[in-house]
Amino acid sequence: MGRYVIRRLLQMVPVFAGTTLLIFVMVYALGDPVAGLFGDRAPDPATAARLRAEFDLDKPLWQQYLLYLGKIFTGDFGTAFNGRPVAELMATAFPATVRLMLVALVIETVVGVVLGVVAGLRRGRGIDTSVLLLTLLVISVPTFVTGATLQFLLGVKWPLVSPAVSGEARFGELLLPGIVLALVSLAYIARLTRTSVAENTRADHVRTAVAKGLPRRRVITHHLLRNSLIPVVTFLGADIGSLMAGALVTERIFNIQGVGYHLYQGVLRQNSPTVVGFVTILVLVFLAANLLVDLLYAVLDPRIRYA
Amino acid sequence: MRTASRLTGAVAVVAALAAVATACGSGATGRGETGVVRASWGDPQHPLEPANTNEVQGGKVLDMIFRGLKRYDPRTGRAVNAVAESITTEDQRNFTVRIADGWEFSDGTPVTAESFVDAWNYGALVTNNQVNSYFFQYIEGYEDVHPAAEDARPTAETMSGLAVKDDHTFTVRLNQKFSQWPETLGYNAYAPLPESFFTDRETWLAKPVGNGPYKVDSYTKGQSMRLSRNENYSGTDKARNEGVELRVYTDTNTAYTDLQAGNLDVADDIPASQLKNAERDLDGRYVNQPAGIIQTLTFPLYRREWQGEDGRRIRQGISMAIDREEITERIYHGTRIPAGDLTSPVLGAEGGHSRDLCGRTCTYDPERARKLIEEAGGLPGGSITLTSNVDTGSHRQWMEAVCNSINNVLDDNGACRIRPVGTFADYRKDIAADEMTGMFRAGWQMDYPLIQNFLQPLYYTNASSNDSGYSSEEFDALMDRANAAERSQAVELFREAEKVVLRDLPAVPLWYQNGTAGYSDRVKGVRLNPFSVPVFTDIEVV
């Protein structure tokens, strides 16, 4: 187990280097970020040159990348063009997004698995069909449509919630955005669980458990679910990354100053230190989540062993 | 009965989801603090320094916490004295500035002649990296503190044209005659700075201190700024409310929704998708008034195919092929006005604005458009492109409309195609590098309400925003004469110069852009100034 973890951690190094290099090249190759700072005016050559030097933009790309990597390891993510250190932006953005992600993750896991189990156990019946239809509907409607609609209905039409989340982004305020963010994944989880549960109900070990006369609840939680959850956990692992990035749309709609918002601003203003810094952290989160998922397999299915 | 049970099942699930969704709210937030106006805001692009702020969101704050020598009257756009008691000149080049008594910064320190001179020298000095440095370019000695070459070092720290006479007087010597120069001093870049700015800039940036009608109480970067009325304010435009809370919104749509929900009092910049319904949604609490912004289509005159008499005729033809009336009505719902000159309605007739200066050239005339383009040998290369950034301002829509209009007139679906550019920075990079091939968008938001500002930066030879590469000795000479003339004659000369541009047509006027805003029933007296920024001091909370 320990060796497996170390091997996986080592594998992360080239993945990390590769992805950051890719992002770096893409963002910096896009154009001259300094040109956008001057609005509709031609950049003043002297000031532009000084700004370029300040942000290392006057050096060749490979050198910029090495300088950047070197700084990252000391915790310095550079300074955004608005004068704020990127690390400070992250300190305000990530907690908000992580809270949003947790809310979404809990909602999609609980509701998704419950719906999936209910549908899977009653395959072909009315409840199963409605879950399938509903999830199909949720999957086919884009997030910004559900988000804007729910925001208008619950925030303006029947004023139950505030349409915009305040700067603190408390858990209570994040419920509605969390639901919106969770919806699509929730539908996938429900469908995954349903299929897997429906399959496993006919598995030998479940039949044996039922034949032994175990209570139905125990059969479902201990024998049926444990196996059925493996594909769901795999999905959740991948979903953590996409939730963080996918928060872009939700955060914009509900005015959450999180990762999505700063990434969007960064791209819009071609604020390279912000974009590269945030994406770097996202890559790390994604890698860690995947490792966690792989380790969870062993917990869920004792037959899986890591040497 | 199977279908029936399925249906009930579906209904049950929907009901359950709805219950989950509604159970979560902590209820709509309250009506806000008494007397405080809650307004939408965007994260400023630069640190909040007067000479380093060139966009609306940062400018909005500077307008609240600073008063310069002059201030622009929110109704007429005219420059009136604020901190200045008088600005006098004999020769349109040497100016004596007298500062009125009693002005203080909100930290209690007095506003003196040094507050201005030091601030201006700071703004101009190249090593301070201020994006608005060029505002000081008319002051003698600017090129010593801000050499134009990329790697040159400044040979002086201060501009030789500025001299402090006493606490309340300083003199300015310009490097050329510029009669309208005092009129430019209402721009935020010319604001005075307190001593605390120079001694501890970091602290100052965290909580800026100015001399305006408001003072900053707290500033949470990226989220909100709370301002309260500055009780020591010496100006005549004292705030009629207790304070303003500026909230950063990630999206104008969200601000608009929050306004509808009653959680926000003033939202400026109504999103394009809501313009159609704003008047009805907001029950008339909707503001739509001219702002000092004009959109034009500019041509790359640095390319051979756009030069000469034929190029000019093609540009005229293209201009006549654009149905401005129809496009502004269909897409913008009355928030854009078809343009007939290169200025803006906010200048007023005495300021040099006139909608018929462009005449036939800016009037939709398919017959003549076709004829002109045919006579000139057709579009260069058979077709043209229209370029703009598409990340903001719903530019894609009008670009398609303009191209359609041209295509319809020429009866050729491939005559005009749009070439969208992803980001503004990328777009500006291409323009700065002279890499445009076809026509491209050039929006101009005025720095100060003067006809000079709509012409000089855009069409003077080698000027900072002269994106087309236009150069005309006749125009330059007229501009020089206008700048040197007494104020009363200047406007007429500027108009003469503008006629030259409209004749050569390096750029085609499209439309004047209005400012839009909506407000809640909790406030009254909401209007926009000529820069499309709400006049916060006039807003009353009821």
Side-chain angles (χ1 to χ4, degrees), chain A residues 30 41-42 44 124 252-253 255, chain B residues 2 134 146 251 426 447 464:
Chain A
L30 261 179
R41 286 180 185 270
D44 161 46
R252 248 193 107 181
I253 295 174
N255 197 39
Chain B
R2 234 187 113 101
Y134 62 88
H146 198 116
D251 190 48
D426 215 9
D447 300 316
S464 57

Side-chain angles (χ1 to χ4, degrees), chain B residues 54 74 102 130 142 178 297 324 334 374 415 424 436 443:
Chain B
N54 63 353
Q130 306 279 296
Y142 175 75
F178 187 4
L297 284 185
R324 295 169 178 79
E374 264 165 35
F424 181 70
M436 290 296 165

